[in-house]
Amino acid sequence: MKNAYFQLVRHATRLAATCVVFVACYGGPRVSAQQGYVNLGPTQGTPGATVSIPVNLVLNAGVSLDSIAFGVSLTPNLDAPTIANPLTFQADASGPSPSLIHSEGNPTSIAVAYLNLPNPLSGTVHLGDIMAVIPASASADQDYAAAFKASTLSATLGAGSVLVFAGQPVAILVGYTYLVGDAYPNTS
């Protein structure tokens, strides 16, 4: 029974939900409420252009953290061409710089870590933007999915864990921008 409890806890902590309920056996915790979340903002771009995918941290009132690490992947949907240029991360100019940015040897994934920050983060914070180049061979109406890698999200304050969940995946839409007076179709 104790092994089943630990399996449930391990599985439940991987779910992106607003509240995780643990079975109350063996003196384990009863309810663990979400203390915040990190999300990706929606964006769109044209073929061959660089898009910025905002990364935002939203913590509940009274919650702060001094370390957060996350991984993000960008995958093509349906017949969209694969991202060839490595993802990069541009930290928000008004915030701290990340301790680590790693592309994991894969152009469609990136890991970012802010470790042991001297001034803990609280409230709503724009951490920065993931930069991705949409392949020039992409066409309008194709899209990409940006999502957090569930196994890479962690947050702490000192030696204690902060229960932060990953937001939902977002679609990166490929399209063209037209202004009044532009010729159709756009060839650039």
Side-chain angles (χ1 to χ4, degrees), residues 146-162:
F148 288 100
K149 294 180 168 186
S151 62
T152 63
L153 181 61
S154 67
T156 61
L157 178 63
S161 293
V162 178

Side-chain angles (χ1 to χ4, degrees), residues 35 38 55-60 62-70 92 94-98 113-128 155-157 162 164:
Q35 294 176 295
V38 61
V55 180
N56 301 300
L57 172 66
V58 180
L59 296 172
N60 296 351
V63 175
S64 59
L65 57 81
D66 61 9
S67 296
I68 184 167
F70 56 88
D92 189 298
S94 65
S97 295
Y114 291 83
L115 304 173
N116 303 314
L117 296 171
N119 299 313
L121 301 175
S122 60
T124 300
V125 180
H126 175 243
L127 295 173
T156 61
L157 178 63
V162 178
V164 175

Side-chain angles (χ1 to χ4, degrees), residues 161-179:
S161 293
V162 178
L163 191 55
V164 175
F165 286 94
Q168 296 295 318
V170 296
I172 311 304
L173 305 175
V174 178
Y176 295 101
T177 303
Y178 295 97
L179 300 174

